[in-house]
Amino acid sequence: MLLGIIPFGVITGVAMVASGIPPLVAMLMSIFVFAGASMVASAQLLASSAPALLIVLTTLVINLRFMMYSASLRLHFADAPLGRRLAVAYLTADNVYGLMLARFSEHPGDPGKFDYFLGAGLLVWFAWQAAVLAGVLIGAGVPAAWRLEFAAPLAFVAMTIPLLRDRAMVAAALAAALVIAFSSNMPLKLNILLAAATGIAVGLAMERKKWNSG
Amino acid sequence: MELWLILAGMALVTFALRAAFLLLPPGVELPALFRRALRYVPAAVLTAIWAPEVLVQNEQLPAGAVAIAVAWRWRTTFATIIAGLLALHLFAWLI
């Protein structure tokens, strides 16, 4: 788990510095935003001097999945004190969420849920920040010939594939991929919004179809 | 200055999304359709992020296929990244 986020963190740091974000701001972004995919996308948008509002909107779309995680984590932490809920919210990351879901489905009544979440979340947090810092410090020192920037999409492939457990989910991903493939000339990543909306609609439609035929 | 605004905006939006349902009062129920739609958000959004980098007519396409196969079989991020990067260089050399 940690092995996966380290290369992703390093390239996130490299991407931010390469787009002209000062190292200190890059680290602050890593701490306050703490969401790699949106940081890589923002760095690319900044490099193409996109307007601030669009960058924030893109962040909203890319990080919409955290809303789904919070809906799911609510089932486990709804009665926890506010401070704990805020800590869970801040530490929610793709891999922490995945790990928690696996653990909580095996031990639904576990009284140590929060401690487990906090432990895994902090471990991922420190590993992530260290990796981003390494990337920020290396900066342009990585030879372009290594093509390390390809590690970012690869990290997302690794997060996506395990989600594709039923037909509706596969259809949602395929629809998103198709839309994005045929809308590449849309300005400034707005096609992510279109692809995501189409994918969600197709997933829901496939789900309904399954119910009708079953 | 604009960079600080972007940083603040990104941080606020991201934390709001993470906290959204954890801060709702316990009695509040969400519309069923909304909850079902949320299920598809990660698969759709994550795919929309990586697909443009992989669906390119050069060595990135076969390298992406290798990465998908490795992710399918072993389900580990590290193996997927290493296999994908090695495949990228291999296909770049072959093509």
Side-chain angles (χ1 to χ4, degrees):
Chain A
M1 176 192 73
L2 280 180
L3 281 177
I5 61 164
I6 287 169
F8 181 38
V10 173
I11 53 115
T12 301
V14 171
M16 285 195 291
V17 179
S19 75
I21 301 176
L24 179 67
V25 182
M27 276 324 288
L28 287 174
M29 194 176 269
S30 181
I31 289 166
F32 284 106
V33 180
F34 185 47
S38 59
M39 281 150 50
V40 173
S42 301
Q44 289 167 352
L45 285 171
L46 266 174
S48 61
S49 46
L53 194 65
L54 183 84
I55 297 179
V56 175
L57 183 70
T58 305
T59 303
L60 179 82
V61 175
I62 292 177
N63 291 341
L64 201 57
R65 61 192 197 284
F66 291 133
M67 199 183 208
M68 179 253 165
Y69 301 160
S70 92
S72 159
L73 288 169
R74 174 180 158 84
L75 302 175
H76 301 282
F77 296 113
D79 300 323
L82 180 65
R84 289 189 167 199
R85 278 181 285 150
L86 290 174
V88 167
Y90 175 64
L91 291 173
T92 300
D94 296 286
N95 47 4
V96 179
Y97 173 74
L99 203 70
M100 286 299 104
L101 215 59
R103 163 96 186 180
F104 290 174
S105 58
E106 279 170 31
H107 311 271
D110 188 352
K113 276 176 184 173
F114 177 75
D115 296 334
Y116 194 77
F117 193 99
L118 191 68
L122 285 176
L123 196 63
V124 166
W125 191 88
F126 279 110
W128 170 260
Q129 302 301 352
V132 174
L133 182 62
V136 165
L137 294 178
I138 300 165
V142 179
W146 290 7
R147 304 185 64 179
L148 215 57
E149 76 286 347
F150 198 56
L154 292 172
F156 293 116
V157 167
M159 285 179 219
T160 307
I161 301 306
L163 300 173
L164 308 179
R165 280 179 302 247
D166 56 65
R167 265 176 51 205
M169 207 60 90
V170 173
L174 281 178
L178 271 176
V179 170
I180 210 91
F182 289 103
S183 61
S184 54
N185 50 2
M186 264 177 90
L188 302 165
K189 298 202 184 265
L190 283 177
N191 51 355
I192 291 185
L193 187 62
L194 184 67
T198 310
I200 293 163
V202 167
L204 283 173
M206 287 297 288
E207 192 179 286
R208 190 156 294 172
K209 208 170 136 201
K210 186 176 63 189
W211 285 354
N212 288 348
S213 59
Chain B
M1 186 58 218
E2 206 195 359
L3 191 56
W4 292 106
L5 274 178
I6 291 170
L7 171 56
M10 286 176 70
L12 277 176
V13 158
T14 306
F15 187 75
L17 291 170
R18 280 183 165 128
F21 292 110
L22 286 163
L23 295 184
L24 270 185
V28 180
E29 269 302 312
L30 307 159
L33 180 68
F34 185 73
R35 268 181 297 159
R36 278 176 37 220
L38 274 181
R39 271 192 66 221
Y40 297 100
V41 168
V45 172
L46 291 173
T47 303
I49 299 170
W50 62 257
E53 316 288 331
V54 169
L55 300 175
V56 183
Q57 282 186 346
N58 60 13
E59 63 276 6
Q60 281 159 254
L61 191 62
V66 168
I68 289 170
V70 170
W72 188 271
R73 175 67 182 81
W74 286 283
R75 304 195 168 229
T76 64
T77 308
F78 193 68
T80 305
I81 292 176
I82 296 301
L85 282 176
L86 288 177
L88 183 75
H89 287 284
L90 177 68
F91 288 116
W93 178 72
L94 284 175
I95 295 171

